[in-house]
Every structure is written in C-alpha cells, then in structure tokens.
Amino acid sequence: MLWLGLCGQAQVHIFKGNSTFSSNILYTWDGKHLYKGNSTFSANILYTFDGKHLYKGNSTFSANILYTWDGKHLYKGNSTFSSNILYTFDGKHLYKGNSTFSSNILYTYDGKHFYKGNSTFSSNILYTFDGPIPVAILLQVL
C-alpha cells in the first residue's frame, strides 16, 4: 500500500491551506477511518479504508465500496479494470485517469503539502498534513 509520508503517528490531521492551526482542521485520520473535523467519534466517520477498498461511512460491506486502490491507481467501485481508473499517482504527482503525461497533472505532493497542479508554490497549497495519509483517503478530501 502506498502511503504519503512516514508511518507511525496515531492521528493525522488535514488542515485547510498552509496552516497547522487547530481551527483549520478539516479532517482527522486514525489509520482506518476519516472523520469530519477534529473528531474521532463514530458519528463523524466519513470513510473507512482497509488498505485496498474505500467504503462509505463506518462499513466494510462490499455493497458500500466506493473505490479500489492498487498502490498506483484509484478505480471506481470494486474494480481493477483499466477503463475504471480515475487517478494515477507516481509518488509525487496525481494524474487524471490512466496517465502520467505532465499535461494531466492535477496535484503535486511534497511530503507535507498538497498543491494544485504541477506546482510547489505556497500560493497553490490546498492542504497541509501533520502525518501520513493514504492516497485513497487524500483523494476524498479534494
């Protein structure tokens, strides 16, 4: 499984923009669930991730699979057919569809920030992280 950053932290926060102020926490990741805001209450679970499948809410039922992650591609639903590839990740850039052409770069990741487009300018920072986030989860906050 591909993770952004280094593993080991129990809770990771996703902040809006170039900030680590608690008032700018949009989401909290606990290693299995993505929660709304600075919360780990089960009522605030948005998604569950088992390393391969992303489920809606606090579920691991196959009927609730939204996406499948293979370490490089995010697929729609419970599929690994190339026709269902939504995004490709090369470790630094996130591309639209099954592509690694620079013209298809949607976002750039530098280890701490997620930027819009093929950029690492601070003015293009969309999110800041204080720990590792799986790509499949990260894509849900975009």
Side-chain angles (χ1 to χ4, degrees):
M1 171 184 342
L2 179 63
W3 293 86
L4 298 178
L6 301 172
C7 293
Q9 191 170 345
Q11 284 186 5
V12 177
H13 297 103
I14 301 171
F15 300 86
K16 181 179 179 181
N18 189 15
S19 169
T20 55
F21 293 117
S22 61
S23 61
N24 289 327
I25 295 173
L26 298 173
Y27 305 97
T28 300
W29 169 248
D30 71 0
K32 183 176 180 178
H33 301 102
L34 183 70
Y35 302 84
K36 183 177 179 181
N38 189 16
S39 168
T40 55
F41 293 115
S42 61
N44 291 326
I45 294 173
L46 299 171
Y47 301 101
T48 300
F49 185 58
D50 66 7
K52 181 176 181 178
H53 296 104
L54 184 77
Y55 304 86
K56 183 176 181 179
N58 188 16
S59 170
T60 54
F61 293 115
S62 60
N64 291 330
I65 294 173
L66 298 172
Y67 305 102
T68 300
W69 174 250
D70 71 2
K72 182 177 180 178
H73 299 104
L74 186 75
Y75 301 84
K76 182 178 180 181
N78 189 15
S79 169
T80 55
F81 293 119
S82 61
S83 60
N84 289 326
I85 295 173
L86 300 172
Y87 301 100
T88 301
F89 186 68
D90 69 4
K92 182 176 181 180
H93 296 105
L94 185 70
Y95 302 84
K96 181 179 180 178
N98 189 16
S99 170
T100 55
F101 292 118
S102 60
S103 60
N104 289 325
I105 294 173
L106 299 173
Y107 304 99
T108 300
Y109 175 68
D110 73 358
K112 184 176 179 179
H113 300 101
F114 208 61
Y115 302 83
K116 183 175 182 176
N118 188 11
S119 168
T120 55
F121 292 118
S122 60
S123 60
N124 290 327
I125 294 173
L126 299 173
Y127 302 102
T128 299
F129 314 99
D130 62 4
I133 302 286
V135 174
I137 288 295
L138 180 57
L139 292 171
Q140 302 315 302
V141 303
L142 297 173

